[in-house]
């Protein structure tokens, strides 16, 4: 993978970025995504934010080697701290982290979202945490997709400002994804059901306690919601 030939996962994230928007890519790693978006003419300027020194240096080196220093500003900082009010950022991408971490980044940087129109989020796991955050903070899901690459399944959730209502089922599996019911959607949740059933079988063999009972009830609830979705 490089800045001109992205992974399928990042290419799919890129496909949701609207033309000529000011972009901030948080946790940008090698800055492949913003470099690709400039090379393909989708954006003119962008910010690559990174909180880890190694990837930050890699991103700076990548942007330099692509000759994009005037278009992409690589910044060191925690989450949305790298965004300034004067940037007028319209689109934020956060890819390749767990859903709870993405939600915590958004929560910690809420005050940076005034000018932002679109959040394009690609959690590696637990996308539910993002949907819960969106519901609480008045962002609505405008698109979702699910894909498989190198035997890993990824969800992408696109948010824009606005209110929505989600059922427990939609929070867990995604309102758009459960309507589409793709082959990959079936594969993901069939795998989850098998894993949850394995845990249930183990819990049945343990000494009964309030904690065990609570865990079993939670798993039973999730299993029922997923079975309804398939």
């Amino acid at each position: 993978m490089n800045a001109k030939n992205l992974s399928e996962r990042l290419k799919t994230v890129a496909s949701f970025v609207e033309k000529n928007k000011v972009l901030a890519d948080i946790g940008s790693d090698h800055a492949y995504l913003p470099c690709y978006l400039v090379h393909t003419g989708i954006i003119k300027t962008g910010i690559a934010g990174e909180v880890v020194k190694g990837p930050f240096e890699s991103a700076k080196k990548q942007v330099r080697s692509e000759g994009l220093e005037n278009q992409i500003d690589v910044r060191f900082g925690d989450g949305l701290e790298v965004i300034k009010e004067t940037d007028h950022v319209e689109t934020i991408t956060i890819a390749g982290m767990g859903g709870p971490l993405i939600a915590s980044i958004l929560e910690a940087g809420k005050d940076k979202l005034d000018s932002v129109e679109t959040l394009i989020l690609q959690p590696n796991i637990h996308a539910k945490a993002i949907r819960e955050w969106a519901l609480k903070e008045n962002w609505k899901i405008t698109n979702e997709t699910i894909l498989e690459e190198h035997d890993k399944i990824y969800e992408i959730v696109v948010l824009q400002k606005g209110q929505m209502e989600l059922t427990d089922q939609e929070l867990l599996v995604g309102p758009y994804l459960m309507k589409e019911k793709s082959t990959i959607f079936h594969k993901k949740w069939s795998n989850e059901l098998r894993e949850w059933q394995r845990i249930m079988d183990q819990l049945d063999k343990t000494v009964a306690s309030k904690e065990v009972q609570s865990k079993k009830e939670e798993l039973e609830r999730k299993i029922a919601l997923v079975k309804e979705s398939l």
Side-chain angles (χ1 to χ4, degrees):
M1 182 171 75
N2 56 50
K4 293 188 176 73
N5 186 25
L6 292 183
S7 65
E8 201 55 43
R9 173 180 66 89
L10 284 183
K11 208 179 282 182
T12 307
V13 171
S15 73
F16 290 108
V17 178
E18 292 179 21
K19 281 200 81 163
N20 299 323
K21 298 295 183 182
V22 180
L23 173 101
D25 183 40
I26 305 301
S28 198
D29 203 2
H30 287 77
Y32 287 149
L33 180 60
C35 287
Y36 171 86
L37 290 165
V38 172
H39 281 316
T40 52
I42 294 169
I43 65 169
K44 292 187 176 74
T45 59
I47 296 155
E50 186 52 68
V51 71
V52 181
K53 267 292 179 193
F56 168 70
E57 295 299 340
S58 295
K60 276 174 50 171
K61 186 178 174 185
Q62 185 67 43
V63 168
R64 244 191 339 266
S65 71
E66 300 287 337
L68 298 176
E69 288 161 293
N70 291 331
Q71 286 122 302
I72 297 172
D73 191 3
V74 182
R75 298 179 187 170
F76 185 76
D78 190 3
L80 306 191
E81 278 178 11
V82 299
I83 298 172
K84 303 170 194 163
E85 196 177 333
T86 50
D87 295 323
H88 304 295
V89 168
E90 297 158 291
T91 300
I92 290 175
T93 50
I94 310 178
M97 305 176 199
L101 177 55
I102 293 174
S104 71
I105 287 169
L106 294 170
E107 180 65 22
K110 281 193 295 196
D111 59 324
K112 304 281 188 173
L113 297 175
D114 287 348
S115 66
V116 177
E117 299 164 358
T118 308
L119 301 171
I120 303 164
L121 312 169
Q122 181 269 297
N124 289 347
I125 53 170
H126 304 314
K128 183 188 177 195
I130 289 170
R131 297 186 189 103
E132 287 173 333
W133 178 86
L135 200 58
K136 181 172 69 79
E137 296 300 325
N138 291 323
W139 287 78
K140 62 181 179 182
I141 299 169
T142 57
N143 217 327
E144 291 178 308
T145 194
I146 189 167
L147 69 142
E148 185 174 18
E149 185 174 45
H150 305 312
D151 296 323
K152 289 185 180 173
I153 294 174
Y154 303 102
E155 293 178 44
I156 297 168
V157 183
V158 183
L159 302 176
Q160 293 184 332
K161 282 171 180 159
Q163 292 186 318
M164 65 173 173
E165 290 182 6
L166 293 178
T167 63
D168 287 348
Q169 190 180 28
E170 288 169 333
L171 268 175
L172 182 61
V173 303
Y176 285 78
L177 300 179
M178 66 181 275
K179 279 180 193 162
E180 190 185 323
K181 286 184 170 60
S182 70
T183 307
I184 299 165
F185 175 84
H186 272 272
K187 182 175 179 179
K188 173 189 168 69
W189 290 108
S190 296
N191 289 344
E192 290 285 1
L193 284 175
R194 275 194 294 276
E195 177 59 16
W196 291 341
Q197 193 56 58
R198 186 188 66 76
I199 296 167
M200 284 283 283
D201 293 342
Q202 285 182 337
L203 290 173
D204 284 337
K205 295 171 189 170
T206 60
V207 178
S209 68
K210 277 187 179 177
E211 192 183 341
V212 168
Q213 187 56 33
S214 174
K215 181 74 174 167
K216 281 175 70 173
E217 285 170 7
E218 173 63 14
L219 280 170
E220 282 166 357
R221 198 176 68 82
K222 291 201 289 188
I223 286 167
L225 288 172
V226 168
K227 281 183 173 176
E228 258 182 61
S229 307
L230 295 175

